[in-house]
Each structure stands twice: as structure tokens, then as C-alpha cells.
């Protein structure tokens, strides 16, 4: 049975002949100045098909020179000298020299693991298949970035894709590796990786809202009441995930377990179409969990048609075994089983594959093939494709969204998650979805769950989840009021961030820059003391405008403040929530109460949100644009119709610091996909007053808000401010008093400390005076943060 066209992914796997250097048993392809494909084949046969990792080798040829040496050949590009003895690959016979950013020559040798800094692996890491049952760190597979400038991806064991879209094994015994020798040109390495393996696709807009997911046997009435309560309490969601109890789980023992299922449990959900329609009417997309490993058995509703299509007599009740490597099974798996359920109103599938890496074809990982074909099939009605599944190796970024698995409820799990998320961008995997709040086991800790909610707001995908337990539900009202209020604020902010998030979605697709990236992506220089971004693996860049330094440990009992230490890149940075300013190029210690979270915007940042109270996922009627004054800034807002082939609109938002001018440029593109007139308000951080032309200004707490009349999308608008008064908001003294007032410590210590603060002198003088007082270390650190800030 041939594959339908929708299941055939276009590929361009042949490299130009002029890019290849060949011998009897080897082929070296110079794909770019710093990317080499290295093949060795005892049979002399080489692979020109696409693979599960590689879909394009049709790179534009680059200049290189081949020299004959007494030991073999040397291939020289503008940045790399590759030496090869024309024998089976070995460390002594295949090596490359590349110039480092520090001016020193660096050498890569085939098969040797490189280490730096007292034994640390030089590879900066990629990601891992799953965080199932992980409590804290886990080992990561390699990415394409390295402290020594070279990284290798081995493609020797992966399956190939024929031109007809089907899989085939490789020639046994051949070696096929890719050398990324980009030095500290990290973005060029990522660009080459994506050119080789495919871009990260555009996700649907609704994917960036909040996802509700819980392993719980919901009845339809219970689920509807839950969604109605979320609406009543103004808690927005865009995706409803139904875990495995949507289908029959208590099955006759002769059929095995109930983990796999395709038959609605009508005792819980008597009218599936009605429930799905009701959820759609409320603006929710719906995903169903599926564990496909047990195939289709005789008790299932789709069994008769699936068995007939597979040539099995339904009267025998013989199971149709799951075999993803059988082309006939694959097509019928979709057409006889999944499509009828999708026709009822299911939008996408949660592929919960937990059955390992083996299949009926040696070397074939069934998870990869499931991800590949489910993703392609999900576009069958012209929808923007999406699936939800675990990572299956390099190239998996083509099939978002990633499900990171069942993590443990603990501070250790939360501590690892930001680094895990950001580091995945080193292998192009930018769209991880975690079980926000923790999944199972562990312990109940209200502060822990609240901090996890805050991280979820600034994660690629924000999906709340918990295991089958009466005690682990992530509904905010399950927690004390002070924690619930912070959780709800985090969920609301996530939806208000949609204009920013969706713009970053398009930027990720277009520029190969993931939403969450390590600090060293923007500054790859290695500091002698390892203080730059390498030493702050939990801190990440969140799009173009923001930096997030997550709090992943309990608050100090004395100060009541959560704390995090991070490298802050050069420049001036402004706290998104408190407007406290910091000069970068140094390590900072940040302290926040439960209601605060360290999210910093670079001076000049322009961050568009939806208007206050507007949580719908569509292109909004109103915007609230935050401008962090102190430098010029610009942001190009991206919107579209959310189609597979999008009709797009771009709107440039520009802040001119010296002129005091904010411009909403006329929108460019298919203007009919956005409202013709829209409400805009401008929030200027660091400005307390100004004379305003072009809007009505309101000041308060160190921010100036300017409300514009309805703006014609095709025309745009300009706001001009003069006689600006900078500052406002709490003074340094007021911030210090607040910290000291909260502190749980001896009153005499508070009095002495305040006397030192309140005495005449600048912040440095205060620091010197405080040095003579015995203070608890956390309290001293919190006070010092304020005194070392820019106020």
C-alpha cells in the first residue's frame, strides 16, 4: 500500500557533486565553511537518501581547496583545515584544526571526547528523550555547540527515508558523521544544523495559551463544571487535554491491559461529540492521550473496520497488532482508527509512547516514526500540523510539541527544568512542554508549586498536569489564598503575553533562534573564571527582549524571599515587575517575595501584551505595550491567520529615547486578518511624568501609561513625550525598609541596621556601615542587591 501524499515529507538529500571529495572507501562533503559530512564505507557505497535526522544536503557550494599530503589529503576552507589519511576513521588519521575565538588553534580528532575546565565535557549538551521519573538532573545527549568549538552528530545508525516517503535500513558497517567545526560562532552552527535537518515549524497560535491536563477519570459534567469555574474566576485556558480515561481502561482480562484504547468510555462521557463541541464553543482545542503499543483489539469500536482493512476476519477476534513499520498498518491506523475520532472533534493527539526503542525493523525507533507520520497526518485538512510526544533524537524539532514526561514533585526537579529547557535549543528542540507543578510522588509544598507556575508562564509551552491522585490537582483554589492569587496572575499573564510569544514563534521558524536560549548564545566568549552565561545554566533568554532567572529553591525563612544568583550580560536591565534597574557585566544576587519573579528586560525593550483583561487567543482587539526606557528600542509584531500557509501582518513598534517618541507604524501585509481599528496603550517604565501629544497620560509607581484613541491599523500612530520626569516608584530607602520590615529577626538588629541605612551618605557609604553589623547572610544579600542596583 503506497503512502498517501500527505504522509510524504519533501526532502532534498543530494549534495552538489562539487561539494564532495571522494575516494574508494570514503566521501567527505563540504556543506559549509565549518560543516563537514564524513563517510567511510567498506563496500564503497554511500548514502544519498534522507535520514531520520537529515532532510537536506543541497547546500550552496562553498570554496575549499584539497591538498595532497604525504599522509593523505588536507581540505581547507576559510575557517577549518581537515586532515585525513584515507584509511578507516581514527583519531590519528582524521582530525581538524580550527581557530578559536581566543586566538588559539583548536584541534578536533575523530572518536575522541573533548574536555575542558578540570574535566568538564566540552559539548554544551542538547536534550534527552524524557524526564520520566527523573528527580533532579539527568544526562543530556550532545548538541552542536561546544566550548572547544567542535561537535559531532553520528547519523550512522539512523533509518533512511526513500523518495516515496517510506523507511529503509542503511548499508551495514558504514560510518556517517557530521562535524560542526564552527568555533564560538554558535548561531552559525545552529543555522547549519537547521539547514541540514529542517526548520522548527510554526506552531498554532492557540498552543501558546495555558493547557489544562490532569490524569483523572473526568465525567463530562465534571469537566464542563471545571471549565465553567475557570471562566467564572477569569482563569484562561486554550487547550483541554483528556488523559487516558477518555477511553475504556477496565477491559476483559483476555485482552490484556487498558492502557491502549480507542473506544470512548460512555459511562464517563456519554456524548463525546457534544463534549468536544462544547469545548470548541468555549475556544478550547482538544487533545486525547493515546498509548498505541497494544494495537487494536476486538473490544474496540474501530476493531471491525481495522481488522477488515488489514485482512483479518473480525469474527476471529484476533488482535491487529501495532506495527508502525508495516506500511499497510500505518495507513489504516490513521484512516480507520484516528481519523474517525478526529472527525468527532479531536484536534491533536498526545502520543504517550513508553514502550522503548525497539520495533520489528532492526534499528528503527518506533517513537520517531510515530512522531514523523502523526505530525504529517495532522495537516490533512489544511491545518497547521502539531503533535505532542517525547523526543526521539536529532531532527525531532520538526515534530513539536515535546512532552518531557512524568517528573517528580520536588525542588530538585524544578531546579533542573530551566537548564533542561534552554539547553535543548543547542539541538534545535525549542518547544518543550513540561508537567508544570510536577507530576507524581515527591511532596506537597505550596511555595514549590507556585514557583513552578511562574516558570510555566515563561516556558515554551505552559501545561499544568498531575498524576492520578486526589491530592495533586493543580487547580489554584486547591492552594492557600496567597499562593492561589500568584498562580492565577501567572496564568493570566501567560495569555496576555500571546502577542510577544507568537512573534517569537515566527522568529524561531525564520531565524533558528529558540524562544528559550542559554545566555551564551548571545555572548559565547568564555570568561577566565567561567562567570559568563556558562556559569548560569538556569538563566535563559526569553525571546529578544527578556531574560528570566528562575527561582528554584525555597525562600529563606528569615527574609521570606526566594533568591537566585546569575550572570547578567552587559548593558542595563530593568525588572519587568518592580522596575528596579541593574547594570550588567557582573554576577547579581536577586531576591523576590512570592509575588515577584526575576524577569528582566534590557533597556530599550519593547514588549507587546494584550490589553488588560483580554485573554482570548486570537489576534487581539487591544494592546498594552511595555517600553523599558533608557535606550532606543524596536519590535516588529507578527500576526497571521493561523493557517498552514499563513497570511501575515507585521507592525513595527519603535521607541526613540532621545526624541521621546513612540511610533506604531502602518501595518504591512494581509490587513484583513487583524482588526481594522485597535485600542493601544503604552506603558513607559522609568518615567513618572511627561507632557504627552497623541494620547492621554496617567502616572503612577514609576510608570507612565498613555492611552491612545482607537488606531487605524493601516495608518498607525505616534506618541510624543516632552519634559520627561524619570524615576518614581519606591525609592532605594523604601525598598530597603520593606525588606528589613519583613525580616524575621531581632528587633535590635533591625533598629541598628536601619540607623546605618538612614544616616547621611550614598549607597556605598551605607554598604560600608552595614559591614560592621552582624546580619544573617540572606538578609545582608537582599539589602546589598538593592544598594548595588541602579535604583
Amino acid at each position: 500500500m503506497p503512502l498517501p501524499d500527505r504522509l510524504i515529507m519533501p526532502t532534498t538529500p543530494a549534495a552538489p557533486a562539487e561539494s564532495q571529495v571522494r575516494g574508494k572507501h570514503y566521501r567527505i562533503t563540504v556543506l559549509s565553511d565549518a560543516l563537514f559530512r564524513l563517510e567511510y564505507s567498506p563496500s564503497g557505497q554511500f548514502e544519498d537518501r534522507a535520514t531520520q535526522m537529515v532532510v537536506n544536503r543541497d547546500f550552496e557550494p562553498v570554496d575549499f581547496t584539497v591538498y595532497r599530503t604525504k599522509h593523505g589529503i588536507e581540505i581547507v576552507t576559510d575557517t577549518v583545515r581537515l586532515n585525513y589519511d584515507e584509511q578507516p576513521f581514527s583519531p590519528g588519521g582524521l582530525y581538524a584544526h580550527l581557530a578559536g575565538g581566543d586566538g588559539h588553534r583548536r584541534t578536533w580528532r575523530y572518536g575522541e571526547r573533548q574536555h575542558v575546565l578540570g574535566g568538564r565535557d566540552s559539548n554544551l549538551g542538547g536534550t534527552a528523550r524524557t524526564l520520566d521519573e527523573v528527580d533532579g538532573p539527568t544526562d543530556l545527549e550532545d548538541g552542536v555547540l561546544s566550548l572547544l568549538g567542535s561537535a559531532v552528530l553520528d547519523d550512522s545508525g539512523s533509518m533512511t527515508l526513500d523518495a516515496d516517503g517510506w523507511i529503509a535500513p542503511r548499508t551495514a558497517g558504514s560510518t556517517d558523521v557530521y562535524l560542526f567545526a564552527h568555533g564560538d560562532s554558535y548561531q552559525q552552527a545552529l543555522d547549519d544544523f537547521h539547514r541540514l535537518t529542517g526548520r522548527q515549524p510554526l506552531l498554532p497560535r492557540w498552543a501558546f495559551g495555558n493547557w489544562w491536563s490532569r490524569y483523572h477519570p473526568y465525567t463530562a459534567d465534571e469537566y464542563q463544571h471545571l471549565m465553567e469555574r475557570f471562566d467564572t474566576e477569569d482563569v484562561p485556558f486554550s487547550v483541554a487535554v483528556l488523559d487516558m480515561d477518555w477511553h475504556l481502561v477496565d477491559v476483559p482480562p483476555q485482552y490484556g491491559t487498558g492502557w491502549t484504547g480507542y473506544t470512548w468510555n460512555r459511562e464517563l462521557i456519554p456524548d463525546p461529540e457534544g463534549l468536544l463541541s462544547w469545548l470548541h464553543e468555549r475556544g478550547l482545542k482538544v487533545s486525547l492521550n493515546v498509548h498505541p503499543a497494544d494495537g487494536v483489539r476486538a473490544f474496540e469500536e474501530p476493531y471491525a473496520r481495522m481488522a477488515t482493512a488489514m485482512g483479518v476476519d473480525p469474527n476471529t477476534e484476533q488482535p491487529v497488532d501495532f506495527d508502525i513499520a508495516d506500511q499497510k498498518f500505518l495507513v489504516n491506523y490513521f484512516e480507520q482508527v484516528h481519523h474517525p475520532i478526529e472527525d468527532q472533534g479531536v484536534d491533536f493527539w498526545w502520543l504517550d509512547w513508553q514502550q522503548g526503542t525497539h520495533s520489528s525493523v532492526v534499528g528503527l525507533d518506533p517513537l520517531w516514526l510515530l512522531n514523523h507520520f502523526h505530525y504529517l497526518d495532522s495537516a490533512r485538512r489544511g491545518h497547521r500540523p502539531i503533535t505532542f510526544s517525547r523526543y526521539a533524537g536529532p531532527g525531532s524539532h520538526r515534530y513539536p510539541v515535546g512532552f518531557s514526561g512524568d517528573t517528580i514533585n520536588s525542588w530538585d526537579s524544578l531546579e533542573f527544568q530551566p537548564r533542561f529547557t534552554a539547553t535543548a535549543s543547542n539541538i534545535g528542540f525549542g518547544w518543550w512542554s513540561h508537567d508544570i507543578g510536577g507530576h507524581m510522588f515527591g511532596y506537597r509544598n505550596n511555595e514549590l508549586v507556585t514557583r513552578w507556575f511562574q516558570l510555566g508562564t515563561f516556558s515554551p509551552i505552559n501545561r499544568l498536569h498531575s498524576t492520578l491522585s486526589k491530592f495533586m490537582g493543580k487547580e489554584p483554589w486547591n492552594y492557600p489564598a496567597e499562593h492561589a492569587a500568584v498562580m492565577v496572575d501567572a496564568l493570566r499573564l501567560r495569555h496576555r503575553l500571546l502577542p510577544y510569544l507568537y512573534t517569537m514563534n515566527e522568529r524561531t521558524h525564520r531565524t533558528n533562534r529558540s524562544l528559550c536560549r542559554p545566555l551564551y548564545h548571545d555572548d559565547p566568549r568564555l570568561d577566565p573564571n567561567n562567570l559568563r552565561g556558562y556559569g548560569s545554566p538556569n538563566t535563559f533568554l526569553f525571546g529578544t527582549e527578556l531574560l528570566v532567572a528562575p527561582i528554584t529553591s525555597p525562600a529563606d525563612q528569615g527574609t521570606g524571599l526566594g533568591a537566585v544568583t546569575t550572570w547578567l550580560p552587559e548593558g542595563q536591565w530593568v525588572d519587568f515587575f518592580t522596575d528596579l534597574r541593574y547594570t550588567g557585566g557582573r554576577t547579581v544576587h536577586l531576591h523576590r517575595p512570592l509575588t515577584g519573579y526575576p524577569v528582566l528586560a534590557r533597556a530599550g525593550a519593547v514588549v507587546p501584551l494584550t490589553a488588560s483583561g483580554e485573554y482570548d487567543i486570537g489576534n487581539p482587539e487591544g494592546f498594552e505595550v511595555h517600553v523599558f526606557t533608557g535606550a532606543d528600542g524596536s519590535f516588529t509584531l507578527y500576526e497571521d491567520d493561523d493557517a498552514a500557509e499563513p497570511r501575515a501582518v507585521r507592525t513595527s513598534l519603535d521607541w526613540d529615547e532621545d526624541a521621546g517618541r513612540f511610533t506604531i507604524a502602518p501595518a504591512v501585509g494581509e490587513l484583513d486578518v487583524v482588526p481594522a481599528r485597535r485600542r493601544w496603550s503604552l506603558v513607559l517604565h522609568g518615567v513618572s511624568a511627561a507632557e504627552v501629544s497623541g494620547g492621554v497620560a496617567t502616572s503612577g509607581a514609576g510608570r507612565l501609561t498613555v492611552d491612545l484613541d482607537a488606531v487605524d491599523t493601516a495608518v498607525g500612530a505616534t506618541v510624543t513625550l516632552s519634559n520627561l520626569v524619570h524615576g518614581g516608584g519606591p525609592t532605594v530607602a523604601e525598598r530597603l525598609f520593606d525588606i528589613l520590615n519583613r525580616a524575621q529577626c531581632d528587633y535590635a538588629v533591625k533598629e541598628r541596621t536601619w540607623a546605618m541605612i538612614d544616616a547621611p551618605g550614598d549607597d556605598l557609604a551605607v554598604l560600608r556601615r552595614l559591614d560592621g553589623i552582624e546580619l544573617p547572610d540572606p538578609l545582608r544579600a537582599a539589602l546589598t542587591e538593592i544598594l548595588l542596583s541602579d535604583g
Side-chain angles (χ1 to χ4, degrees):
M1 177 182 291
L3 289 178
D5 288 345
R6 72 176 188 278
L7 297 181
I8 301 175
M9 181 177 64
T11 62
T12 48
E18 58 267 41
S19 299
Q20 302 175 28
V21 179
R22 300 182 67 134
K24 183 177 180 181
H25 294 291
Y26 70 85
R27 179 171 65 173
I28 297 175
T29 307
V30 185
L31 292 167
S32 78
D33 285 344
L35 176 59
F36 299 82
R37 185 189 189 194
L38 310 172
E39 296 173 274
Y40 188 87
S41 170
S43 68
Q45 295 181 338
F46 302 103
E47 186 57 73
D48 286 322
R49 291 170 293 186
T51 70
Q52 64 189 70
M53 182 177 86
V54 175
V55 297
N56 172 53
R57 302 186 193 95
D58 188 19
F59 285 44
E60 182 178 348
V62 297
D63 292 333
F64 64 91
T65 304
V66 181
Y67 297 99
R68 175 60 60 180
T69 72
K70 64 180 180 179
H71 299 295
I73 61 172
E74 183 177 54
I75 301 174
V76 180
T77 71
D78 287 345
T79 58
V80 180
R81 304 180 73 90
L82 181 74
N83 292 268
Y84 176 45
D85 64 2
E86 302 181 283
Q87 300 300 312
F89 294 165
S90 68
L94 179 59
Y95 55 93
H97 299 303
L98 55 153
D102 53 8
H104 295 94
R105 190 177 73 170
R106 298 171 181 173
T107 300
W108 166 84
R109 291 185 179 276
Y110 175 81
E112 283 192 353
R113 198 76 188 173
Q114 295 179 300
H115 296 85
V116 295
L117 301 173
R120 174 181 174 180
D121 194 324
S122 71
N123 193 285
L124 288 164
T127 194
R129 186 181 184 98
T130 182
L131 294 179
D132 280 331
E133 300 184 18
V134 170
D135 189 6
T138 192
D139 292 335
L140 302 178
E141 299 174 19
D142 284 350
V144 299
L145 308 184
S146 166
L147 289 168
L148 291 180
S150 57
V152 170
L153 293 182
D154 190 342
D155 202 31
S156 306
S158 69
M159 302 298 290
T160 66
L161 282 170
D162 283 328
D164 63 1
W166 194 238
I167 58 170
R170 287 172 169 269
T171 302
S174 294
T175 300
D176 185 3
V177 300
Y178 291 83
L179 170 63
F180 292 78
H182 294 78
D184 57 11
S185 297
Y186 288 170
Q187 190 54 48
Q188 292 178 26
L190 291 167
D191 288 343
D192 276 353
F193 171 78
H194 284 91
R195 191 152 46 137
L196 181 72
T197 61
R199 292 188 179 276
Q200 297 184 58
L202 277 172
L203 291 180
R205 187 178 179 92
W206 46 261
F208 295 99
N210 300 314
W211 297 25
W212 177 257
S213 179
R214 184 184 179 193
Y215 182 15
H216 177 79
Y218 284 110
T219 66
D221 287 346
E222 186 181 9
Y223 207 84
Q224 289 173 321
H225 291 154
L226 174 67
M227 293 299 126
E228 287 172 340
R229 181 166 182 182
F230 281 137
D231 283 349
T232 299
E233 302 202 10
D234 228 9
V235 180
F237 285 92
S238 63
V239 175
V241 181
L242 297 179
D243 212 314
M244 61 177 291
D245 286 287
W246 71 269
H247 65 72
L248 298 176
V249 295
D250 294 322
V251 304
Q254 67 266 30
Y255 298 119
T257 72
W259 281 95
T260 298
Y262 299 100
T263 304
W264 287 94
N265 184 341
R266 295 180 186 272
E267 291 186 5
L268 296 176
I269 306 173
D271 179 13
E273 293 91 340
L275 175 62
L276 296 172
S277 177
W278 186 89
L279 291 169
H280 285 154
E281 288 170 3
R282 304 183 85 80
L284 292 159
K285 299 296 182 180
V286 183
S287 178
L288 299 185
N289 174 281
V290 62
H291 299 83
D294 286 340
V296 185
R297 293 162 290 174
F299 69 87
E300 299 278 20
E301 288 182 1
Y303 172 73
R305 60 176 180 266
M306 182 65 172
T308 300
M310 291 299 295
V312 175
D313 181 356
N315 293 320
T316 67
E317 295 196 350
Q318 290 299 305
V320 179
D321 292 332
F322 177 85
D323 188 358
I324 196 68
D326 180 341
Q327 199 163 332
K328 183 177 181 181
F329 173 87
L330 175 75
V331 173
N332 287 314
Y333 166 80
F334 288 122
E335 296 181 355
Q336 307 302 327
V337 181
H338 282 259
H339 290 177
I341 300 175
E342 292 170 15
D343 291 342
Q344 294 176 310
V346 173
D347 296 290
F348 68 109
W349 295 90
W350 172 10
L351 304 176
D352 204 351
W353 179 264
Q354 302 177 52
Q355 284 72 39
T357 60
H358 301 293
S359 67
S360 60
V361 175
V362 176
L364 172 63
D365 181 352
L367 174 61
W368 165 68
L369 209 57
L370 271 168
N371 292 350
H372 176 77
F373 284 121
H374 259 283
Y375 182 80
L376 295 174
D377 187 70
S378 69
R380 69 186 176 96
R381 290 177 171 170
H383 298 157
R384 189 171 293 176
I386 187 172
T387 194
F388 180 39
S389 183
R390 288 172 174 81
Y391 177 79
S396 291
H397 63 275
R398 298 191 300 266
Y399 318 117
V401 169
F403 165 51
S404 67
D406 301 337
T407 48
I408 308 301
N409 292 288
S410 71
W411 285 104
D412 287 340
S413 289
L414 177 61
E415 163 66 19
F416 181 61
Q417 215 161 82
R419 173 163 71 95
F420 179 81
T421 306
T423 305
S425 64
N426 294 344
I427 197 69
F429 201 75
W431 300 119
W432 269 124
S433 168
H434 303 302
D435 288 358
I436 295 300
H439 177 73
M440 61 186 181
F441 306 139
Y443 41 80
R444 168 71 176 249
N445 184 288
N446 298 328
E447 181 190 3
L448 166 64
V449 179
T450 305
R451 291 302 191 193
W452 225 321
F453 268 65
Q454 291 169 320
L455 176 63
T457 298
F458 298 97
S459 292
I461 302 295
N462 189 29
R463 177 181 52 87
L464 308 184
H465 192 58
S466 56
T467 193
L468 185 61
S469 168
K470 296 180 183 297
F471 303 105
M472 292 188 187
K474 298 306 185 300
E475 298 89 343
W477 51 82
N478 286 341
Y479 297 86
E482 63 175 318
H483 298 86
V486 176
M487 294 173 179
V488 169
D489 284 347
L491 294 170
R492 290 172 179 167
L493 177 58
R494 175 68 182 198
H495 271 238
R496 294 194 63 204
L497 279 165
L498 270 167
Y500 181 77
L501 292 166
Y502 197 65
T503 298
M504 294 303 112
N505 177 37
E506 190 274 338
R507 178 179 181 265
T508 293
H509 171 68
R510 178 171 46 85
T511 70
N512 308 318
R513 289 167 169 85
S514 296
L515 172 67
C516 298
R517 299 179 297 132
L519 296 182
Y520 52 75
H521 276 213
D522 273 7
D523 187 3
R525 294 172 296 164
L526 184 60
D527 185 274
N529 296 314
N530 197 29
L531 290 178
R532 294 181 183 274
Y534 303 96
S536 302
N538 265 16
T539 302
F540 56 88
L541 302 166
F542 190 68
T544 56
E545 311 296 288
L546 301 175
L547 176 152
V548 181
I551 293 176
T552 57
S553 58
D556 172 67
Q557 294 302 302
T559 63
L561 301 175
V564 60
T565 298
T566 181
W567 172 261
L568 192 60
E570 294 177 1
Q572 189 178 69
W573 296 85
V574 187
D575 187 285
F576 187 88
F577 299 106
T578 70
D579 293 333
L580 196 62
R581 291 179 177 247
Y582 305 84
T583 296
R586 63 186 176 98
T587 296
V588 294
H589 307 281
L590 307 176
H591 304 78
R592 298 294 184 272
L594 188 69
T595 54
Y597 206 63
V599 178
L600 306 181
R602 195 185 295 274
V606 177
V607 181
L609 276 62
T610 62
S612 179
E614 187 170 341
Y615 304 126
D616 291 341
I617 61 172
N619 296 323
E621 297 285 342
F623 291 97
E624 181 181 280
V625 181
H626 289 249
V627 176
F628 297 83
T629 61
D632 293 343
S634 182
F635 187 92
T636 300
L637 176 71
Y638 175 87
E639 301 170 279
D640 63 25
D641 57 359
D642 222 10
E645 298 293 334
R647 301 173 63 246
V649 177
R650 287 179 169 83
T651 306
S652 181
L653 309 174
D654 299 290
W655 167 248
D656 186 322
E657 177 77 12
D658 290 338
R661 183 171 58 246
F662 182 78
T663 303
I664 304 169
V668 176
E670 307 294 336
L671 300 190
D672 60 304
V673 306
V674 299
R677 293 179 66 78
R678 306 169 104 165
R679 294 173 288 107
W680 293 80
S681 64
L682 175 65
V683 179
L684 293 160
H685 293 247
V687 176
S688 59
E691 296 177 13
V692 177
S693 173
V696 178
T698 306
S699 62
R703 300 181 182 183
L704 186 72
T705 300
V706 181
D707 295 316
L708 284 67
D709 293 331
V711 175
D712 189 317
T713 299
V715 176
T718 299
V719 175
T720 303
L721 301 96
S722 57
N723 298 322
L724 277 71
V725 178
H726 292 279
T731 65
V732 167
E734 288 169 340
R735 294 180 192 270
L736 293 170
F737 182 85
D738 182 63
I739 292 171
L740 196 56
N741 189 41
R742 291 169 177 264
Q744 307 292 298
C745 67
D746 190 282
Y747 282 113
V749 171
K750 290 192 179 196
E751 295 291 352
R752 289 197 300 273
T753 303
W754 181 248
M756 296 299 98
I757 292 172
D758 201 34
D762 59 18
D763 293 344
L764 182 58
V766 175
L767 278 172
R768 287 170 176 162
R769 290 195 293 264
L770 290 181
D771 195 44
I773 298 178
E774 290 292 333
L775 288 173
D777 289 342
L779 177 57
R780 184 184 301 280
L783 296 172
T784 300
E785 175 197 343
I786 305 301
L787 290 165
L788 291 179
S789 74
D790 298 340

